[in-house]
Amino acid sequence: MPDSLQCERHIFMLIRSYLHADLGRLTELAIDTFGPFYEKSFRPLVGEVIFANQHGNWRDDYRKQVAELHDPDNHKYVAVVDEGGVLTGYVAWNVDPARRNGSITILAVSAEHRRASLGTALCEHAFDAMRQQGAEVVEIGTGGDDFHAPARALYESLGCVELPVAVYYREL
């Protein structure tokens, strides 16, 4: 069921369920959104050997991941922001009914539409859907680097609690 919302920019947006026809745009949006992290943050930080080993095919990884995000039979869902036929963002989540929890898998908003409450609206949409599916807790993760600072600020504004985690890489 779609939700119509007014965001801070006062532009009408429609949040609706994923359609198979959305796949190409959502894949492109993931690659555009996270490309700067892989190429300008992660690669310089870890070097070529670790980069190639961990995320050397990150574009292909997104092509595969995005195609598998929406699978309602396995409690996996995607909702998109549709602004006049232009997809400007999306959120994917899954629910584990037995554990009564959910997880945001990916949140992507096009660069020109950031800071306009689309991320907030998408997260709230997913949280509401998870509640309706019996979830009591949601997990949402992001990086601790500068690239991901806006995501951390968003999640904290939504009342999420940060769990400090350290991940280390070393070339052998």
Side-chain angles (χ1 to χ4, degrees):
M1 176 181 306
D3 290 332
S4 298
L5 301 171
Q6 292 280 25
C7 66
E8 289 177 10
R9 290 186 314 163
H10 304 292
I11 293 176
F12 177 79
M13 77 171 125
L14 171 72
I15 297 179
R16 64 166 173 77
S17 187
Y18 168 85
L19 302 171
H20 183 68
D22 300 331
L23 179 59
R25 174 62 184 136
L26 299 190
T27 302
E28 174 185 296
L29 188 52
I31 290 170
D32 290 348
T33 299
F34 299 106
F37 164 71
Y38 289 109
E39 298 301 335
K40 295 179 182 172
S41 183
F42 189 75
R43 184 190 296 255
L45 179 66
V46 301
E48 290 303 316
V49 171
I50 293 171
F51 176 81
N53 179 273
Q54 293 296 304
H55 296 294
N57 295 316
W58 65 268
R59 288 175 187 86
D60 290 336
D61 294 343
Y62 276 114
R63 288 180 184 103
K64 183 178 185 310
Q65 179 192 19
V66 173
E68 297 172 351
L69 289 173
H70 191 75
D71 184 1
D73 290 340
N74 287 301
H75 310 286
K76 294 164 57 174
Y77 308 90
V78 175
V80 304
V81 173
D82 185 332
E83 294 189 59
V86 177
L87 303 185
T88 57
Y90 70 102
V91 63
W93 70 94
N94 60 60
V95 174
D96 181 343
R99 294 184 57 224
R100 296 184 319 273
N101 63 24
S103 178
I104 299 282
T105 311
I106 191 169
L107 174 67
V109 174
S110 65
E112 60 273 11
H113 292 89
R114 292 183 193 142
R115 300 281 187 224
S117 299
L118 272 70
T120 299
L122 284 164
C123 286
E124 292 292 357
H125 177 88
F127 294 167
D128 288 344
M130 286 183 233
R131 274 187 215 96
Q132 291 175 14
Q133 296 162 338
E136 297 172 350
V137 174
V138 64
E139 175 186 341
I140 187 168
T142 194
D145 59 322
D146 290 343
F147 174 85
H148 290 96
R152 290 192 307 276
L154 169 62
Y155 305 151
E156 289 170 14
S157 77
L158 293 168
C160 299
V161 177
E162 181 182 0
L163 173 65
V165 176
V167 176
Y168 295 89
Y169 288 101
R170 178 179 165 217
E171 188 177 328
L172 298 177

